[in-house]
Amino acid sequence: MSGVSRFGVSLESTLLDSFDGLIKQKGYRNRSEAIRDLIRGFLVEKEWQQDIETVGVLSLVYSHHARELQEKLSGMQHDYHEAVVSSTHIHLDEANCLEVVILKGKSSIISSISEKLSSTRGVKHGKLIMTTTGSDID
Ligand code: NI
């Protein structure tokens, strides 16, 4: 367990007002909580830029009726089986499928797999959440 440090921040009151409005809207209980999240976000971003071992969660929404699409997406995941930790398929409704793919590995590889899957013809929406296993982020 590491200790908690306090620090002061100076900024224009208009900027602080906007920040307070936004954090209230987002449901943060206080500024410290919001700032902690922002800092963690920066650290995750830094890890992704450094191309070290990290984690990504990719969601794909696609048409159930698109020909051979599910086989195609599954084939790509087999090609990168070392990075694909898990994938879950949900039948959203009569016509649409949601697939959630958890990826682990170098950020460049996770990004490239995600781009390939998302840009496959028939995929309506692909969104990658970049997260981290980072030991330096509590
Ligand atoms: Ni389905």
Side-chain angles (χ1 to χ4, degrees):
M1 280 283 281
S2 54
V4 173
S5 303
R6 287 172 171 274
F7 66 96
V9 179
S10 309
L11 71 169
E12 294 89 347
S13 38
T14 51
L15 189 59
L16 185 60
D17 287 346
S18 302
F19 185 65
D20 283 343
L22 184 64
I23 66 176
K24 196 177 169 192
Q25 201 183 313
K26 284 184 174 276
Y28 287 107
R29 278 173 301 177
N30 53 54
R31 289 174 185 157
S32 293
E33 207 173 71
I35 289 166
R36 274 195 291 272
D37 250 18
L38 285 173
I39 292 172
R40 287 191 195 103
F42 268 136
L43 292 170
V44 169
E45 220 170 88
K46 189 180 136 232
E47 273 204 18
W48 277 75
Q49 282 163 3
Q50 287 172 334
D51 200 23
I52 57 176
E53 280 289 309
T54 188
V55 187
V57 181
L58 174 68
S59 75
L60 300 164
V61 174
Y62 57 92
S63 168
H64 167 63
H65 301 296
R67 268 182 76 84
E68 288 162 16
L69 180 54
Q70 201 180 322
E71 288 77 6
K72 212 179 276 178
L73 295 174
S74 169
M76 284 186 217
Q77 292 178 54
H78 277 277
D79 291 343
Y80 295 101
H81 64 92
E82 283 170 342
V84 176
V85 177
S86 162
S87 82
T88 301
H89 182 113
I90 293 141
H91 311 303
L92 284 179
D93 54 34
E94 293 82 0
N96 295 290
C97 302
L98 166 70
E99 200 155 319
V100 180
V101 185
I102 299 174
L103 298 150
K104 196 165 176 283
K106 288 268 174 69
S107 49
S108 59
I109 293 168
I110 294 177
S111 298
S112 112
I113 298 169
S114 298
E115 274 162 29
K116 276 184 192 152
L117 290 166
S118 301
S119 64
T120 303
R121 197 191 162 103
V123 174
K124 294 177 179 177
H125 185 234
K127 173 91 178 155
L128 174 65
I129 297 168
M130 298 173 176
T131 184
T132 184
T133 55
S135 51
D136 54 338
I137 304 173
D138 292 317

